[in-house]
Amino acid sequence: MRVEIPVVLLQGSQGDENAELILKLIAFFREARHEWEISPRDVDTVRMFLERHLPVLAQSYLLLAQKASMARAWAPQGGTTGVVRVTSETLAADIRDLERPAVLVVENAIYDWQMIEALARLLGCEDVIDAKEGSRLGVYNGGGKDGATRYAVDQAAQFIRTKRVVLVIDSDSFHPTDRTGNHQKAEAVAREGVSAHVLSFREMENYIPNRVLARQPKNIVGMSSMAKRLKSLKTFSPEQRAHFDMKHGFRGKPQKGAAQKERHSGKAGTTYVVPPRHGDLYKEVAEQDLITLQEGFGTDLPTLFLQEVMRGGISERDLDGLGPGAKQELRSMFETIRGVI
């Protein structure tokens, strides 16, 4: 979090009364747990405060203030959004909020974090990974969307003033304009102070590049089948790929009475089901491609994705195949997460 300490809290009797808490707050900056939001014109006031209350460490803390003020001076105008501004009344509560780890709530703490870590490494957002490894960010398993929503609200209640909690969930959308119940869940937690990011694509797995999918099978038969599926997937437009069920494909039993689009060619293993919620999204896709994609690509894709990223076999450029706007959306997700760290 970015934190601003008004200079009035450092001066006169207020500086004396708040000295212990202010020094604890400055220690957060020294430990890189949080960032100091300070103007260059206020550095002299910090100097006097430190020399009065902490003469031994004054020089190192003053250098920290100077660096922070220079960063502020070069920051774009209007870049103070999300800054925690402490007051004499909120100082104690702010410190309690800031010393707690930030909270990231996801549906599945194993697979979703593997996806987030892989994407962070590709997009230069390793600071989010560092925050988790440094215990400044906790990742919690919601056990599904409803559980994640409830848990995020419960975690937000643990913070006094600054709700340092973010919820990241799938959209479960079947087409680009589909507004699902997950969007409503995000709005509900936002009213409780939780930051939320609903993925534009259907699920986390839809952000996995094709190059990862090509490296999944370990045997000759599997490689041949995967090559065919991947070839069919490449016929999809970015919108079709974004809302395809990457894990399970077009298989499934149609419900009785439902207007499922089911086709048969008279041969075993050539039945597929396109859920009606997709509308006409796949109307122009060749039948053979829909048949080939009935099986999907499996449920362990996040693990494979992270492994490939760690091996260096995947780069940021591979994300370009996801379509325009995908990387921008992912960067927005990371900014939301950074906003609570």
Side-chain angles (χ1 to χ4, degrees):
M1 299 292 297
R2 295 159 63 200
V3 183
E4 179 182 348
I5 307 174
V7 292
V8 67
L9 296 187
L10 309 178
Q11 299 170 327
S13 60
Q14 284 205 64
D16 295 337
E17 294 169 3
N18 297 318
E20 184 177 356
L21 293 175
I22 291 292
L23 292 173
K24 187 172 184 179
L25 197 53
I26 294 175
F28 290 162
F29 307 145
R30 178 176 57 82
E31 296 164 2
R33 294 179 62 177
H34 301 287
E35 297 179 8
W36 200 344
E37 179 77 11
I38 181 172
S39 170
R41 66 175 178 270
D42 295 333
V43 172
D44 283 341
T45 303
V46 174
R47 183 198 308 275
M48 290 184 287
F49 172 83
L50 293 172
E51 289 176 347
R52 184 167 74 252
H53 295 286
L54 199 66
V56 176
L57 295 178
Q59 192 58 41
S60 61
Y61 279 13
L62 180 60
L63 180 61
L64 182 64
Q66 291 171 335
K67 288 182 177 179
S69 70
M70 291 303 295
R72 162 71 182 274
W74 286 98
Q77 292 295 321
T80 58
T81 304
V83 175
V84 177
R85 292 181 173 85
V86 301
T87 67
S88 58
E89 291 79 15
T90 68
L91 182 56
D94 287 332
I95 287 177
R96 286 198 291 273
D97 287 343
L98 292 168
E99 67 185 352
R100 292 173 59 92
V103 176
L104 168 61
V105 184
V106 292
E107 298 176 47
N108 185 305
I110 296 176
Y111 285 156
D112 287 348
W113 176 253
Q114 287 176 335
M115 285 292 306
I116 290 172
E117 180 178 348
L119 291 167
R121 294 185 184 280
L122 291 181
L123 295 172
C125 300
E126 289 89 351
D127 56 310
V128 173
I129 302 171
D130 293 341
K132 179 179 181 292
E133 294 178 349
S135 299
R136 292 179 287 114
L137 173 68
V139 179
Y140 292 89
N141 182 57
K145 295 162 191 66
D146 291 334
T149 302
R150 290 192 298 269
Y151 193 80
V153 172
D154 290 344
Q155 285 295 303
Q158 304 302 311
F159 291 87
I160 301 170
R161 199 167 81 96
T162 305
K163 310 297 186 179
R164 301 177 54 223
V165 181
V166 61
L167 171 69
V168 174
I169 57 174
D170 299 336
S171 67
D172 290 344
S173 56
F174 281 73
H175 56 81
T177 61
D178 196 4
R179 180 175 172 79
T180 69
N182 297 340
H183 295 92
Q184 297 173 356
K185 290 180 174 65
E187 292 173 352
V189 300
R191 290 192 288 269
E192 302 298 327
V194 176
S195 300
H197 183 92
V198 181
L199 298 174
S200 295
F201 290 4
R202 180 171 177 168
E203 295 175 322
M204 275 281 190
E205 288 80 359
N206 291 91
Y207 295 88
I208 295 177
N210 288 344
R211 191 184 296 272
V212 175
L213 303 177
R215 298 178 181 180
Q216 185 179 12
K218 303 298 183 182
N219 56 70
I220 300 299
V221 176
M223 290 177 64
S224 176
S225 174
M226 185 60 64
K228 292 178 181 178
R229 271 178 277 170
L230 190 53
K231 182 179 179 181
S232 292
L233 185 69
K234 289 179 179 179
T235 67
F236 281 6
S237 68
E239 291 79 12
Q240 290 168 337
R241 190 190 190 284
H243 301 282
F244 172 62
D245 189 338
M246 296 292 290
K247 291 180 287 189
H248 304 295
F250 290 124
R251 64 184 177 185
K253 295 180 179 180
Q255 298 176 0
K256 291 182 178 180
Q260 297 278 18
K261 293 184 178 179
E262 184 178 17
R263 306 178 192 175
H264 299 269
S265 68
K267 298 180 181 179
T270 56
T271 300
Y272 67 92
V273 177
V274 178
R277 283 183 59 189
H278 282 303
D280 292 332
L281 186 60
Y282 300 99
K283 182 179 180 181
E284 304 302 324
V285 177
E287 182 175 54
Q288 186 54 54
D289 289 321
L290 297 177
I291 292 171
T292 302
L293 288 168
Q294 63 184 297
E295 291 301 319
F297 292 88
T299 59
D300 201 26
L301 294 176
T303 302
L304 178 66
F305 185 21
L306 181 57
Q307 289 173 350
E308 291 298 321
V309 170
M310 296 297 288
R311 281 196 335 167
I314 304 296
S315 69
E316 179 183 339
R317 183 177 300 178
D318 291 308
L319 297 176
D320 293 338
L322 300 177
K327 287 199 293 188
Q328 181 179 350
E329 190 230 333
L330 291 170
R331 293 187 190 280
S332 175
M333 178 188 72
F334 283 113
E335 285 305 310
T336 301
I337 297 172
R338 283 186 177 121
V340 302
I341 298 175

